[in-house]
Amino acid sequence: MAYDYFSEFATICGLLSAFGLNIEEGRIFTSAESEQPNRNRSADPYPIRTRPQGRPGLTRKKIVDVFTVSPIEGQTFAAANRKRLTDQLTRMIMLLDEGQLDEARQQVNRQLVEHLGKRRSSFSGLLHTVQITFDNSQSATDTIMDIRSDDTPAFLYAFANALAMRNVYISKALFAIEDGKLHDRFYIRNRFGQKLLDPGDLEQLRLTAVLIKQFTHALTWAPDPAKALEAFDQFLDLVLEGSRQAGRKQAWAFVKDKNTFPLLARLLGASDFLWEDFLRRQHVNLLPLLKDYRDAPLIKSQATLRKELNRAIVKAKTDEARKEALNRFKDQELFRIDMKHIVEPGTSLPDFSLAISELAEVIVERSLVDCQAKLTKLYGSPRLPNRKPCPFAILGAGKFGGKEMGYASDIEVLFVYGGPGRTSGKQGIENSEYFERLAQEFLQWIEAKQEGIFHIDVRLRPHGGKGSLANAFDEVCKYYSAEGQAAPFERQALIKLRHIAGDAALGKKVESHRDSFVYSGAPWDLTVALDLRRQQVKQLVEPGQINLKHSHGGIVTLEYAIQYLQVMHGHRHPSLRTPNTLRALAALIDVGLIPRATGENLRKSYLFIRMLIDGLRMVRGNTKDLVIPPPDSDEFIFLARRVGYQTEDWQAGARHLQTDIEEHMKQNRQFFEKMFGKV
């Protein structure tokens, strides 16, 4: 017995589920209204997402809720657990009394979702028929809603929350098991204390119940069930706020599709940015989109991607329309790749990286074509002094150059043109100005929705940020030479350089010059290199944190170790001259510079840390997400689940991950310092 509060019934149901209790029967009562509701107000009787104003409980209505519960199979409900439940329930009611609904919901979610993890079982498809009926004749004050179906984890909690957030008030509820089926009976009113009489409102309520019932049936597939529930509730809003006919059609289509719910649970429980930046925007066509992406392959060839992209752009009549079509295609394909990687745990990191890299190359290639066409209309074509066409090439660097992109990877590029000259148009300009404008146009052409996702990075160029965006071939050769101004770290960075788009002959000339400079056999100053590494750790790693990129033993430790060996020995072993990290590691093993057993351990460590970085970045889609959460935090537990450490005991899975992180990073640091000295 307690005072009545907003979302109180949902909170109680959530805690009972979190303590492993099945609700077999229940009788839920609320004291009568202290004053008669205003029955003459004309407003939407089924509004979305408004909350009662003022302090909860001030009407001093009371509830009397009686539950008959039993522990789930294999568990007990001893005295200690009963005391914990009493204490938790008291604490939650106090939060509701203080108006801290969100805090109460988060605490219930946290306890509930770990319990759900212990109940995970193979998804057996859709539930059998969910029977829902409404009756406005039996009660003078309430609409009676009956739901008969199989029991599903957290349904009462999710459904009661959905009703509360839509201002559908439960005045009384009864639960029972009849012929092996759960029978829930709700006595409900709208926000004005009136029955729900509009057939359209009742149909929306029916849809809400069926969708939540099916979704909670698949909820244990989600790495973070609470995140999935929250996003799914927003999805319900979007469906119900749309046109009623279209919304109903879409919702019933979802109900009939067997594979949608576990797929949606995995996606919504893994990534905020996929929901915010794609699924939410595409909610009207979400079911066909999910079907299409589910059936599509992870890796598409560049030829296939070009054909599909050209088909998407061909109808565009203006530069702005072509740009918009390209970015829309990019976002859709990125979602396809991200979705496949999330929902298919067997997807390997190399395959995932290849799929993103192939897409990036096609996007860069087509963007260059369209940007060149736009500028040529204005200034004509760039020519060399001998009147021949002046070539232009884009070379990839970093993860892009190495064909090893991941979640939230940027696109590192170097712009190179053939040499001085002038464009052929009536308003001709110098080649240097033309290609600078071309580079600027290119940077604006590919749009990055999140910080890092296909953001164009041009820091690798002569003189860095102080230099021109585009440089003539001779200037590139002069800067990157033994007599040039390139710093040792720039020599190292050129390892990843690879021709991507534009003139192939010019691109190969740049690669050839790179080989003669990087792999010249000139001494590699380890003192300078190690000092730079120390400065990275000092400046980029906060004390007490584990930064998967920059901390000792992180991904940079491995990449630098391999790159140092490439620079030091590449002049004698041509097989080391590759921009791809794993291929370089394999070559180092083959030529005997790294023992095979050691090399295999390093390969596993590289894939492990890259997997963790992707697991961090997939939540927000932000390239800066590199720091491991504290081991005792919820964030760490859900990171463990996202990257495959899904055990019944979530804490045990998190501890296993923590042990693996420590072992891999310790091994990486020991290898680095054994080869090159202490950092």
Side-chain angles (χ1 to χ4, degrees):
M1 186 172 71
Y3 285 116
D4 189 23
Y5 298 98
F6 182 75
S7 201
E8 185 177 31
F9 174 63
T11 301
I12 295 171
C13 291
L15 277 178
L16 291 175
S17 293
F19 275 78
L21 299 173
N22 284 324
I23 302 174
E24 296 183 350
E25 292 185 7
R27 300 178 68 80
I28 313 302
F29 300 98
T30 307
S31 62
E33 299 279 355
S34 58
E35 61 182 46
Q36 290 298 313
N38 182 351
R39 299 180 180 275
N40 297 320
R41 298 174 66 177
S42 59
D44 181 3
Y46 193 52
I48 302 296
R49 291 214 182 280
T50 58
R51 194 176 295 178
Q53 300 299 311
R55 180 169 175 170
L58 287 183
T59 61
R60 300 292 90 179
K61 289 190 296 180
K62 296 182 179 66
I63 63 164
V64 178
D65 295 353
V66 181
F67 296 94
T68 301
V69 298
S70 63
I72 63 173
E73 186 176 351
Q75 292 194 15
T76 60
F77 191 55
N81 287 337
R82 292 197 292 272
K83 184 178 185 306
R84 282 180 53 235
L85 174 59
T86 301
D87 292 343
Q88 288 280 2
L89 184 56
T90 301
R91 188 177 302 115
M92 294 305 104
I93 297 298
M94 291 176 65
L95 288 174
L96 294 178
D97 183 66
E98 295 167 0
Q100 298 186 47
L101 171 64
D102 292 337
E103 177 63 25
R105 182 171 295 168
Q106 288 176 14
Q107 291 194 27
V108 173
N109 281 346
R110 174 64 189 86
Q111 297 178 68
L112 176 62
V113 295
E114 185 161 356
H115 168 70
L116 290 178
K118 298 176 182 178
R119 296 184 63 177
R120 182 170 182 177
S121 58
S122 177
F123 182 73
S124 57
L126 292 176
L127 295 168
H128 295 299
T129 303
V130 180
Q131 297 179 342
I132 299 176
T133 59
F134 296 97
D135 190 326
N136 275 308
S137 63
Q138 294 187 44
S139 170
T141 57
D142 301 291
T143 295
I144 298 176
M145 180 179 187
D146 285 300
I147 303 177
R148 292 178 173 85
S149 67
D150 297 325
D151 193 14
T152 59
F155 168 71
L156 279 177
Y157 173 61
F159 185 57
N161 260 327
L163 294 186
M165 295 307 293
R166 291 164 178 82
N167 289 325
V168 175
Y169 179 69
I170 301 173
S171 63
K172 184 167 66 173
L174 305 171
F175 317 109
I177 301 294
E178 299 175 356
D179 300 325
K181 296 282 186 179
L182 183 66
H183 178 194
D184 300 329
R185 170 167 286 188
F186 298 97
Y187 291 74
I188 57 178
R189 307 174 190 177
N190 65 19
R191 61 174 168 173
F192 305 124
Q194 302 168 341
K195 291 183 179 182
L196 280 73
L197 299 174
D198 188 297
D201 297 334
L202 296 177
E203 182 70 3
Q204 285 190 335
L205 197 55
R206 186 195 311 274
L207 280 170
T208 299
V210 173
L211 286 169
I212 290 177
K213 194 73 175 177
Q214 298 290 4
F215 188 73
T216 53
H217 182 46
L219 189 59
T220 54
W221 283 99
D224 184 344
K227 185 190 299 293
L229 268 177
E230 182 179 354
F232 187 73
D233 199 46
Q234 294 176 42
F235 168 70
L236 284 178
D237 274 358
L238 292 172
V239 172
L240 297 175
E241 285 178 343
S243 75
R244 290 191 171 181
Q245 185 174 359
R248 291 173 195 163
K249 183 177 180 181
Q250 179 195 11
W252 286 121
F254 257 86
V255 170
K256 294 176 183 177
D257 186 77
K258 176 179 180 179
N259 298 311
T260 301
F261 290 98
L263 176 64
L264 201 55
R266 280 175 171 164
L267 288 174
L268 297 182
S271 175
D272 289 340
F273 87 87
L274 282 183
W275 165 247
E276 295 293 340
D277 279 355
F278 194 84
L279 292 173
R280 177 199 289 274
R281 299 167 189 262
Q282 300 286 341
H283 74 275
V284 174
N285 301 309
L286 188 54
L287 181 58
L289 280 173
L290 289 178
K291 285 182 177 179
D292 290 344
Y293 292 130
R294 184 181 64 213
D295 298 336
L298 173 68
I299 301 172
K300 290 184 181 179
S301 69
Q302 288 196 23
T304 298
L305 288 168
R306 284 191 197 97
K307 183 177 180 180
E308 293 177 355
L309 177 56
N310 290 338
R311 190 161 57 239
I313 291 179
V314 69
K315 295 180 180 179
K317 303 302 181 183
T318 65
D319 292 329
E320 192 60 33
R322 280 185 282 274
K323 175 182 174 181
E324 182 180 342
L326 176 134
N327 282 287
R328 183 167 56 250
F329 177 84
K330 165 183 66 74
D331 293 340
Q332 291 173 347
E333 289 300 300
L334 274 173
F335 173 73
R336 170 184 61 81
I337 296 168
D338 289 346
M339 189 196 79
K340 298 290 284 188
H341 191 47
I342 288 175
V343 303
E344 296 180 5
T347 302
S348 70
L349 176 67
D351 284 349
F352 175 60
S353 294
L354 178 61
I356 295 181
S357 299
E358 295 284 78
L359 172 64
E361 290 186 35
V362 170
I363 294 296
V364 166
E365 179 186 84
R366 179 60 197 233
S367 297
L368 175 58
V369 169
D370 289 338
C371 289
Q372 284 178 317
K374 180 178 180 179
L375 265 68
T376 299
K377 293 176 187 176
L378 299 173
Y379 308 111
S381 301
R383 303 285 182 181
L384 295 170
N386 62 9
R387 306 303 298 165
K388 290 184 178 180
C390 179
F392 178 79
I394 298 179
L395 293 98
K399 294 288 191 293
F400 182 40
K403 274 188 176 285
E404 48 200 15
M405 298 175 72
Y407 277 104
S409 284
D410 52 19
I411 298 177
E412 297 182 54
V413 294
L414 175 68
F415 300 120
V416 183
Y417 62 93
R422 194 170 178 84
T423 63
S424 61
K426 292 182 179 180
Q427 298 181 3
I429 55 177
E430 295 296 320
N431 283 356
S432 58
E433 183 180 354
Y434 173 88
F435 288 113
E436 192 72 6
R437 294 190 180 190
L438 177 60
Q440 291 171 348
E441 187 69 40
F442 182 89
L443 294 181
Q444 300 298 319
W445 204 263
I446 301 175
E447 298 173 347
K449 283 191 174 183
Q450 297 281 342
E451 188 166 2
I453 302 179
F454 275 32
H455 169 76
I456 307 299
D457 184 343
V458 291
R459 288 175 293 178
L460 179 65
R461 64 183 194 266
H463 308 289
K466 298 179 181 179
S468 301
L469 291 173
N471 290 270
F473 174 71
D474 289 345
E475 294 168 352
V476 171
C477 293
K478 180 180 178 181
Y479 183 83
Y480 297 113
S481 68
E483 299 78 23
Q485 300 179 47
F489 77 88
E490 291 178 288
R491 178 186 177 193
Q492 178 185 341
L494 287 181
I495 289 173
K496 314 294 285 184
L497 208 62
R498 179 174 62 91
H499 174 252
I500 300 294
D503 190 85
L506 177 59
K508 295 305 177 185
K509 282 176 63 178
V510 177
E511 290 181 347
S512 178
H513 174 75
R514 181 272 314 276
D515 288 348
S516 66
F517 172 55
V518 173
Y519 305 115
S520 63
W524 177 245
D525 193 332
L526 276 176
T527 302
V528 173
L530 293 178
D531 184 62
L532 174 64
R533 182 74 185 101
R534 292 187 191 97
Q535 291 300 315
Q536 280 184 333
V537 175
K538 182 178 179 180
Q539 296 174 13
L540 301 174
V541 180
E542 295 291 334
Q545 289 187 344
I546 298 177
N547 185 305
L548 288 173
K549 182 174 182 179
H550 297 294
S551 286
H552 294 299
I555 200 70
V556 163
T557 298
L558 281 174
E559 291 175 339
Y560 279 18
I562 292 169
Q563 290 165 12
Y564 290 176
L565 293 173
Q566 286 180 273
V567 174
M568 295 164 68
H569 302 283
H571 64 289
R572 292 188 295 110
H573 301 289
S575 62
L576 301 184
R577 303 171 196 171
T578 172
N580 183 271
T581 301
L582 289 178
R583 289 177 189 166
L585 176 59
L588 288 166
I589 295 170
D590 290 341
V591 300
L593 290 170
I594 295 179
R596 190 163 298 277
T598 301
E600 178 59 23
N601 288 335
L602 294 177
R603 187 187 72 84
K604 291 178 180 177
S605 284
Y606 176 82
L607 294 173
F608 173 80
I609 296 177
R610 285 291 308 276
M611 171 192 72
L612 279 181
I613 291 174
D614 282 351
L616 286 173
R617 288 175 169 175
M618 75 168 61
V619 176
R620 296 192 307 147
N622 193 312
T623 189
K624 293 182 178 180
D625 287 341
L626 295 165
V627 176
I628 291 287
D632 58 350
S633 66
D634 290 350
E635 290 83 357
F636 189 84
I637 290 174
F638 293 129
L639 170 64
R641 288 175 58 77
R642 282 197 302 276
V643 298
Y645 288 72
Q646 295 196 1
T647 59
E648 285 194 359
D649 183 343
W650 290 17
Q651 297 285 353
R655 289 193 297 271
H656 187 187
L657 174 61
Q658 176 66 9
T659 299
D660 286 351
I661 291 172
E662 292 172 355
E663 290 180 353
H664 280 290
M665 297 189 76
K666 179 181 178 182
Q667 169 195 274
N668 297 341
R669 182 173 186 176
Q670 287 176 341
F671 170 77
F672 185 94
E673 294 186 344
K674 179 181 178 181
M675 295 292 291
F676 309 111
K678 287 191 174 296
V679 178

